[in-house]
Amino acid sequence: MRQDRDVILLFATRILRLFAYGFLSVVLALYLAAIGLAEAGIGLLFSLTLAGDAVISLLITTRADRFGRRRMLLFGAALMALAGAAFLATTSPILLGLAAIIGVISPTGYEIGPFLSLEQAALSGLVPDRRRTGVFAWYNLAGSLATAAGALAGGWLAQALQAGGLPEVASFRVVLAGYCLAGLGLFILFTRLSPAVEVAPAATAGRRTLGLHRSRGTVLRLSALFALDAFAGGFIVQSMLAYWLHLRFGVAAGPLGSILFGANLLAAASALLAAGLARRFGLLNTMVFTHLPSNVMLLAVPLMPSLELTVALLLARFAICQMDVPTRQSYTMAVVEPDERAAASGVTTIARSVGAAASPLLAGLLLAQPALVGVPFFLAGGLKIVYDLALFRACRALRPPEERP
């Protein structure tokens, strides 16, 4: 069936994109440091990247249901390839900043840009409600495995090239070239999607704001909460986590790739388990009560006295920290109208990008002070606990269709 083919294609684009994000994330901060940027400059560049992503995503996702999801996905893929080419071609901080704002490049190792929102909206229309959370769980599993494989490949490729005599900066540029090629591959795959990924606007939609009508209040409330969570998470984006491990324990690029590979494998498994928990306990309960203990672990990471204990705690956290992701995505798609799904996912994702935009800069400033290198973890864990409690209080009465009597 055409719909099954589209689902397979959307999984393929997710895998390719997340492999590229993981591939780059291990070496991105190391590359920027190697070409002369200080910690504060790296943090500022990451903040500009996330802020630019928010603007680009807002422009694309709030128009996609009217102008075509496939068309907007193609535009996003072109921006990803162009951003990779720009980072490859220049070491000028100003030009890198412009490329970060305009293009799509991922310092986090996770989703960035308009892709997730549009693919979620398309998948929600291609599968029935009862299968939505399960499909989203497998979709996130595929992404996490791809991120893990990308992190492993990127870290060890750079180290192998350096061991073979290639200068450090040149080895990192090989990884950047791979990211650029992935953007081109993504563009080709998106051309193969059928019209089934589109949606017909509702005849009674009325006036729209940011592509939303009936679900505007719900989406704005969720967006505020998700922004808080993302602001907290921005203190420990994957590139910054890799850099912190390098500063604290002197871990090289290859072992960093292995650590993040293991972490993302565990995150992948946790996403898959989320579907079963959601069927039994509900989407909101799964989101909140798997997220809370992972944030307590996060608070304890900088208190660990050795690399072994630090990695063990990080891996334990990754084993449960991503259970809220497919459930959060499924919940958002479930509580809005079908022709608002791309916009709702876009607005909530943009809120997360805006929330995350400032914290890498603050994390960079903190990492520059030896006495404060553990503070980003304390801020991230504490704010995430506040988010979990606020989300449960605000949304416990709002149920998705499959959980209503």
Side-chain angles (χ1 to χ4, degrees):
M1 290 176 61
R2 179 181 294 179
Q3 290 178 324
D4 292 337
R5 180 175 173 274
D6 285 331
V7 170
I8 292 170
L9 276 171
L10 291 172
F11 269 68
T13 57
R14 168 82 167 174
I15 290 167
L16 175 60
R17 186 170 65 252
L18 269 293
F19 180 89
Y21 290 169
F23 191 64
L24 182 63
S25 68
V26 178
V27 304
L28 183 56
L30 301 178
Y31 170 70
L32 294 172
I35 63 174
L37 269 71
E39 287 85 354
I42 295 170
L44 175 60
L45 189 62
F46 286 175
S47 289
L48 290 174
T49 299
L50 295 170
D53 163 63
V55 175
I56 294 297
S57 296
L58 180 66
L59 293 173
I60 291 176
T61 56
T62 57
R63 291 162 173 78
D65 282 343
R66 285 176 289 164
F67 299 136
R69 293 170 179 171
R70 183 171 51 175
R71 186 178 301 167
M72 294 304 186
L73 286 167
L74 289 168
F75 183 53
L79 291 178
M80 178 177 167
L82 289 172
F87 269 65
L88 186 64
T90 183
T91 60
S92 165
I94 294 175
L95 294 178
L96 288 173
L98 288 173
I101 293 170
I102 298 171
V104 176
I105 201 159
S106 176
T108 65
Y110 299 115
E111 276 288 6
I112 197 168
F115 308 108
L116 177 66
S117 302
L118 301 183
E119 289 179 356
Q120 284 177 353
L123 285 170
S124 297
L126 293 170
V127 300
D129 285 341
R130 68 181 184 278
R131 290 183 54 207
R132 186 186 58 253
T133 303
V135 168
F136 277 22
W138 282 104
Y139 175 79
N140 281 278
L141 171 66
S144 293
L145 289 174
T147 300
L152 184 69
W156 283 108
L157 174 62
Q159 185 149 322
L161 291 171
Q162 291 169 30
L166 200 65
E168 183 182 48
V169 171
S171 72
F172 296 151
R173 284 182 174 150
V174 173
V175 177
L176 277 165
Y179 184 85
C180 182
L181 290 174
L184 295 175
L186 202 62
F187 187 94
I188 293 170
L189 287 174
F190 283 139
T191 64
R192 309 302 299 167
L193 290 171
S194 78
V197 301
E198 311 291 357
V199 66
T204 58
R207 187 174 64 87
R208 290 177 180 262
T209 303
L210 299 176
L212 302 167
H213 48 96
R214 294 189 187 94
S215 309
R216 189 181 304 122
T218 297
V219 172
L220 294 179
R221 183 165 64 251
L222 289 172
S223 296
L225 291 165
F226 295 166
L228 173 61
D229 180 46
F231 176 75
F235 284 101
I236 50 162
V237 296
Q238 190 155 285
S239 292
M240 279 298 191
L241 176 60
Y243 190 58
W244 180 82
L245 288 168
H246 176 72
L247 286 178
R248 177 81 183 273
F249 299 109
V251 187
L256 282 174
S258 295
I259 291 168
L260 295 178
F261 173 74
N264 283 291
L265 279 182
L266 291 170
S270 74
L272 189 59
L273 290 172
L277 291 174
R279 281 193 298 269
R280 182 169 182 180
F281 300 110
L283 287 170
L284 183 63
N285 289 336
T286 303
M287 290 162 62
V288 171
F289 294 111
T290 60
H291 209 223
L292 275 169
S294 75
N295 297 325
V296 174
M297 293 181 193
L298 187 59
L299 290 170
V301 166
L303 304 177
M304 295 296 103
S306 67
L307 175 62
E308 292 77 13
L309 288 174
T310 300
V311 171
L313 187 60
L314 283 170
L315 293 178
R317 179 183 180 267
F318 271 89
I320 59 173
C321 74
Q322 293 296 300
M323 287 187 186
D324 74 309
V325 175
T327 46
R328 182 185 70 232
Q329 295 166 353
S330 181
Y331 183 83
T332 304
M333 294 295 94
V335 297
V336 302
E337 298 294 320
D339 70 321
E340 296 178 283
R341 282 172 173 161
S345 183
V347 169
T348 53
T349 301
I350 291 159
R352 293 185 62 84
S353 295
V354 171
S359 37
L361 171 59
L362 297 175
L365 295 172
L366 292 168
L367 290 176
Q369 306 299 319
L372 301 177
V373 292
V375 173
F377 292 89
F378 298 139
L379 290 172
L383 289 171
K384 280 178 170 290
I385 289 171
V386 172
Y387 154 76
D388 288 327
L389 299 176
L391 177 68
F392 184 74
R393 180 177 180 182
C395 298
R396 57 186 173 181
L398 184 61
R399 296 185 179 183
E402 64 269 29
E403 295 177 19
R404 295 170 191 163

